[in-house]
Amino acid sequence: MKGFAMMCIGKTAWINKERPIIGPFDALVEPLALAPCTSDIHTVYSGAIGERTNMILGHEAVGRVVEVGSEVRDFKKGDRVVVPAITPEWRTTAIQEGVPAQHSEGMLTGWKFSNIKDGVFGEFFHVNDADMNLAILPESISLEQGLMMCDMMTTGFHGVEMANVQFGSTVAVIGIGPVGLMAVAGAALRGAGRIFAVGSRPTCVKIAKEYGATDIVNYKQGSIVTQILEATKNHGVDHVIIAGGDNSVLGDAVTMLKPGGVIGNINYFGEGDSLPIPRLAWGCGMAHKYIHSGLCPGGRVRMERMIALVKYGRVDPAKMVTHRLSGLEGVEKGLEMMHSKDADVIKPITII
Ligand code: NAD
Ligand code: ZN
C-alpha cells in the first residue's frame, strides 16, 4: 500500500509498505478524510521527537473500517469512524495510574500514529484496541467536523480542562491556530467571562471572535504581558492556555497569571534543552501559580464526548477548515501548506 512518509528529519516521500496486520483486538481502517497537524511539521522539520525513518505521517483521520480482529465486539466492516490521534493500550496496568496518554511504553506513548508506528496518511492504517479507541461517526456529523475532533478539538479542550477554567473567570489563550481556536471555544463553553485571544492573522482573529474571544491581543504589536496587564489594570488573568509560540511564552504566561491562577499548556515546545520561568514573576517559586501540561486525551469515550458536543450544536469545529484538497495525494500539499503557513491557512484537509 501507498503512504506519505517521513524518510528522515527534513525529508518526506511517498513510499510503499505492506498492508498492516491486525491482532485480535485491532482494526484496519481506510481513510475517508485526513488532515495534517502542526505537530507533523515539528516532527519532520525540527526533529522534535527525534529521528524517524520511513514512518508514514499523520494522526488526524476519519475513516471506514475494513477489517476487525476476532475479539472486536462493537465495530464491523463498513462502519464510519472518528479515529483519535491518541490511541492508548487500554489493557495495560499503567493505564490504571490515571494518565492514559502516557503509559507503560514510556512518556507520550499513547500517541502512536506518526510517533511510534505508521500514521494515517496511507491507503490503510492499523488501529490498536479498536473497541476502546474508535467512535462511530453519526450521519448527522460531517467528515470535516469529525476530522477536527480527533486532535484539534480534544487538544484545545484539554488546555481548558488543565487550566481549570471557571464561570466568569478571565482567560488568555496564547496562539490562535486551530488548537488555540478550539481552546477559545472550550473556554467559552466552560463559562469564562473575558477571553483574551493572542494572535495576529485576520483569518484566525475572525474565528476567535466567533468562538467567543472578547479581546484580541496582537503579539506582533508589543509585549503580550504588557498589553494584557494594561487591559486588566495590572491584575492579570486567572488562566492561561498556551497553544502556540516559542520558548518565551511560558515565561509570559507565568508573568500575566494571577497568584492562584493556572496555566494549561498544550503547546509542543520543539527546540532547546529547557524552558525559562521568570523567578520573580513566579514569586520565587511561591506564588501559587500552577503549570499543567499534557497531551490530548484520546480513546473512544473522549471522542464520543466530542461528537456529542457537535451533535447537540454546542460548537462547530469545521469553521477552522480553510482549504479542501482531494485524494490521498492531497496530504502532501496539505503538509506543505501547514509548513509554509500562509496567512489564510488554518486547517487544510483532504477528502479521499
Ligand atoms: P499553529 O502553528 O497553527 O498555531 C500556533 C499559532 O501561534 C500560529 O498561528 C503562530 O503564528 C502563533 N504564534 C507564534 N508565536 C506566537 C506568540 N509569541 N504569541 C502568540 N501566538 C504566536 O499550531 P496549532 O495546530 O494550532 O497547534 C498549536 C500547538 O499545539 C503546536 O505546537 C502543536 O504542535 C501543538 N499540539 C499539541 C497537541 C497536544 O496533544 N498537546 C496536539 C496537537 C497540536
Ligand atoms: Zn497533532
Side-chain angles (χ1 to χ4, degrees):
M1 65 163 206
K2 197 167 87 166
F4 188 62
M6 166 174 182
M7 306 310 289
C8 58
I9 292 172
K11 188 163 182 281
T12 56
W14 288 96
I15 58 172
N16 272 301
K17 279 199 164 180
E18 292 298 316
R19 211 193 242 222
I21 298 189
I22 59 165
F25 294 101
D26 306 337
L28 187 71
V29 175
E30 60 180 352
L32 293 172
L34 296 167
C37 175
T38 307
S39 302
D40 290 311
I41 302 300
H42 296 306
T43 300
V44 175
Y45 297 104
S46 332
I49 53 172
E51 186 60 283
R52 298 289 188 278
T53 50
N54 303 338
M55 177 186 76
I56 295 178
L57 289 163
H59 50 259
E60 297 183 26
V62 288
R64 187 183 289 117
V65 174
V66 173
E67 189 186 338
V68 293
S70 56
E71 301 299 324
V72 175
R73 292 164 315 204
D74 300 342
F75 297 88
K76 59 181 188 320
K77 186 176 173 183
D79 285 344
R80 289 189 340 147
V81 287
V82 177
V83 185
I86 305 300
T87 53
E89 294 292 354
W90 296 95
R91 292 173 174 80
T92 57
T93 49
I95 280 295
Q96 295 178 17
E97 289 169 9
V99 198
Q102 328 272 352
H103 59 67
S104 56
E105 292 165 74
M107 211 162 42
L108 306 184
T109 54
W111 172 22
K112 299 189 183 305
F113 295 124
S114 69
N115 177 18
I116 56 174
K117 73 172 185 182
D118 280 329
V120 298
F121 291 174
E123 287 174 285
F124 302 96
F125 56 86
H126 169 276
V127 179
N128 59 295
D129 215 344
D131 279 331
M132 296 293 131
N133 282 320
L134 292 176
I136 295 285
L137 179 71
E139 287 298 327
S140 62
I141 294 185
S142 69
L143 293 179
E144 295 184 2
Q145 289 172 321
L147 194 52
M148 290 302 108
M149 292 174 196
C150 35
D151 188 0
M152 299 299 95
M153 192 170 155
T154 178
T155 302
F157 283 24
H158 193 43
V160 175
E161 291 164 333
M162 289 189 296
N164 196 18
V165 172
Q166 302 289 315
F167 288 122
S169 61
T170 300
V171 181
V173 177
I174 302 179
I176 47 169
V179 169
L181 286 171
M182 283 288 93
V184 169
L189 277 173
R190 275 266 185 129
R194 195 171 190 185
I195 303 177
F196 290 94
V198 180
S200 64
R201 295 186 287 149
T203 321
C204 301
V205 165
K206 176 176 175 288
I207 296 182
K209 287 180 179 166
E210 287 174 23
Y211 281 154
T214 55
D215 299 68
I216 304 297
V217 173
N218 188 334
Y219 66 97
K220 293 188 172 162
Q221 290 175 354
S223 153
I224 61 173
V225 172
T226 307
Q227 293 183 68
I228 288 179
L229 288 179
E230 266 175 18
T232 57
K233 299 191 168 63
N234 276 330
H235 288 301
V237 298
D238 301 297
H239 316 272
V240 183
I241 298 158
I242 308 178
D246 59 18
N247 290 4
S248 67
V249 292
L250 182 62
D252 287 349
V254 167
T255 310
M256 70 176 75
L257 194 68
K258 285 181 193 170
V262 190
I263 295 169
N265 178 71
I266 40 188
N267 200 32
Y268 184 117
F269 290 104
E271 284 169 14
D273 292 328
S274 56
L275 299 170
I277 293 177
R279 185 178 62 84
L280 292 177
W282 205 32
C284 308
M286 299 182 291
H288 285 106
K289 293 189 179 186
Y290 304 99
I291 302 172
H292 293 171
S293 71
L295 190 62
C296 64
R300 175 174 171 177
V301 169
R302 178 71 171 187
M303 287 305 108
E304 288 175 348
R305 289 186 178 185
M306 298 296 110
I307 289 168
L309 283 164
V310 175
K311 187 171 172 184
Y312 295 105
R314 305 285 178 202
V315 63
D316 181 8
K319 283 185 184 187
M320 302 188 301
V321 176
T322 49
H323 295 77
R324 291 160 184 85
L325 302 157
S326 61
L328 179 60
E329 297 69 26
V331 294
E332 183 172 4
K333 170 89 178 149
L335 198 75
E336 217 177 280
M337 293 172 89
M338 288 300 266
H339 194 198
S340 53
K341 210 40 96 48
D342 288 347
D344 61 339
V345 174
I346 300 181
K347 206 69 190 174
I349 67 161
T350 187
I351 305 285
I352 314 301

